[in-house]
Amino acid sequence: MLCVYLALSKKISIADLGAVIVLIGQFLQNFTNFINQINGIHGEALSVHSAMGYFGLLAEKREKTLHSVDTVNFKNVSYAYPEEETSAVKNISITLKKGETIAVVGKNGSGKSTLSKLVLGLINPTNGEIKIGNDPMCDVSYETLYKPATAVFQDYVHYAMSVKDNISISNCESPLKADDACQLLKNLGITFVDENSNITMQTELGVEFGGVDLFGGQWQQLAIARAAYREAKIIVLDEPSSALDPLREAELYDTFKKLCENKIGIIITHRLGMCMFADKVLVLDDGEMVEFGTKEELLKNNGIYARMFQLQQGLYAE
Ligand SMILES: Nc1ncnc2c1ncn2[C@@H]1O[C@H](COP(=O)(O)OP(=O)(O)OP(=O)(O)O)[C@@H](O)[C@H]1O
Ligand SMILES: [Mg+2]
């Protein structure tokens, strides 16, 4: 306003007024950029905080060797993510046993994946205690804790490596021979890799480095093979069939069942058909364990599981 007044009263020229307006414009633009950068720094700081939390976990000194992996016992376990006020998993008490497969169901964001990360020791409870056998999980060295565990995560990784290496990377100590890899896939019922097709054990994958890209379901099947190749006592399958078409999913039911056999098995799923081979079903709602029992018990209870079951059944009825 002052500049306009000065220009009108001819104390500064119109050209000077123009220059001042451009300068003010630039200043405002730079100021906005500066504020945006500060916002960005806050966002980055949160991610770095989570990453540092993870590396902090690895740096922690834990000396104890794991003795037995026959049970995983949760006692009043809760977990809140860093910077979050509400817990993603709340006050869970449960014992998982060798030879038993538990299906975990519940709506999006109910805490299923968080629960699985707790079982695997990838995150530590913010309250309560987890014991593996008789050993408190928080005392056990990461080396011995992670060795007996395997998982197919929801966001499984696409490794830009050969098909064979995509499988054997889960067990670097014993690299896989091509023939053994073929046999493993055959046993799992995975058929898209075939020495007579355009995808063989040696095919390099990943378009980033000029390799072949796979369909989502094919990448997921490789993630399943990778999990199977690791000798494990605890297995977590987090939505292992989400990218598979219904036929492929049905064909792989036996595979999932076999993978969980004689282990502590956790299978997280939105498709209740996958609960078929689970011994028990755990229903999470807003982080809380609201139902736990056999499918038959939960159907009788007429709670969330029964409603989900009826809803999905209704979708397939004529
Ligand atoms: N890294 C994270 N940082 C902060 N909050 C998170 C993080 N991961 C998950 N959450 C939150 O924790 C809660 C539980 O998430 P979780 O992923 O365990 O749910 P879920 O049952 O596996 O969901 P979905 O069915 O969508 O996979 C959600 O509110 C989610 O937003
Ligand atoms: Mg999840």
Side-chain angles (χ1 to χ4, degrees):
M1 288 303 282
L2 177 67
C3 294
V4 173
Y5 166 75
L6 290 173
L8 287 176
S9 57
K10 302 223 164 86
K11 287 187 176 132
I12 60 169
S13 69
I14 295 294
D16 290 340
L17 173 66
V20 170
I21 289 174
V22 169
L23 278 175
I24 290 174
Q26 277 180 357
F27 171 75
L28 286 177
Q29 179 64 48
N30 287 340
F31 187 69
T32 312
N33 288 345
F34 174 67
I35 295 294
N36 285 341
Q37 293 285 339
I38 289 187
N39 273 336
I41 288 170
H42 180 66
E44 294 298 322
L46 286 183
S47 322
V48 170
H49 187 282
S50 310
M52 293 310 281
Y54 172 70
F55 288 118
L57 270 188
L58 295 182
E60 242 179 74
K61 269 262 169 266
R62 292 176 169 201
E63 310 266 298
K64 269 200 177 171
T65 302
L66 190 59
H67 290 103
S68 140
V69 193
D70 288 349
T71 56
V72 175
N73 176 259
F74 276 51
K75 193 170 168 203
N76 304 118
V77 169
S78 298
Y79 179 79
Y81 283 97
E83 315 292 332
E84 297 294 328
E85 279 171 20
T86 48
S87 297
V89 158
K90 296 171 188 154
N91 202 27
I92 304 242
S93 295
I94 189 176
T95 301
L96 313 171
K97 297 188 192 103
K98 181 181 168 187
E100 208 171 65
T101 299
I102 309 290
V104 183
V105 302
K107 56 185 187 240
N108 292 121
S110 55
K112 304 181 295 296
S113 297
T114 308
L115 182 75
S116 75
K117 287 182 213 162
L118 286 162
V119 171
L120 293 167
L122 295 173
I123 50 177
N124 290 324
T126 37
N127 273 305
E129 186 186 48
I130 305 178
K131 275 188 176 175
I132 300 205
N134 288 321
D135 298 313
M137 197 187 249
C138 60
D139 292 343
V140 175
S141 79
Y142 285 106
E143 201 191 352
T144 58
L145 181 62
Y146 294 152
K147 209 165 188 176
T150 191
V152 178
F153 291 113
Q154 244 172 329
D155 44 0
Y156 48 88
V157 186
H158 301 183
Y159 291 105
M161 300 173 169
S162 70
V163 170
K164 182 169 74 65
D165 291 344
N166 257 275
I167 301 169
S168 63
I169 195 169
S170 66
N171 192 353
C172 297
E173 285 163 19
S174 58
L176 195 57
K177 291 198 194 92
D179 281 354
D180 297 341
C182 288
Q183 191 56 47
L184 175 84
L185 292 192
K186 205 169 162 200
N187 294 346
L188 292 171
I190 296 173
T191 52
F192 75 90
V193 182
D194 185 328
E195 294 308 306
N196 301 318
S197 78
N198 59 342
I199 301 172
T200 69
M201 280 297 160
Q202 284 69 37
T203 303
E204 292 293 332
L205 301 179
V207 278
E208 308 88 328
F209 299 105
V212 172
D213 201 10
L214 299 177
F215 299 122
Q218 292 173 329
W219 280 115
Q220 193 163 36
Q221 288 175 68
L222 276 193
I224 294 164
R226 184 157 57 239
Y229 185 54
R230 197 173 163 80
E231 282 287 311
K233 295 183 173 162
I234 301 177
I235 184 163
V236 168
L237 303 171
D238 192 348
E239 295 276 348
S241 62
S242 57
L244 304 179
D245 63 61
L247 274 179
R248 202 78 272 269
E249 181 184 0
E251 283 164 11
L252 288 183
Y253 273 171
D254 265 354
T255 297
F256 296 132
K257 189 173 170 199
K258 262 192 248 157
L259 276 180
C260 293
E261 252 164 28
N262 215 22
K263 302 186 178 81
I264 291 174
I266 307 280
I267 180 150
I268 296 172
T269 181
H270 285 290
R271 308 194 196 175
L272 297 193
M274 288 275 282
C275 298
M276 247 173 8
F277 63 86
D279 299 292
K280 285 185 182 156
V281 179
L282 188 166
V283 184
L284 282 178
D285 192 30
D286 199 16
E288 288 179 44
M289 183 169 91
V290 287
E291 290 170 37
F292 181 57
T294 63
K295 292 168 286 287
E296 295 73 25
E297 284 166 349
L298 297 198
L299 280 178
K300 251 194 222 157
N301 276 359
N302 227 6
I304 294 183
Y305 176 81
R307 279 203 296 284
M308 283 167 71
F309 186 84
Q310 281 145 16
L311 199 75
Q312 293 199 2
Q313 204 180 32
L315 291 177
Y316 297 108
E318 280 188 73

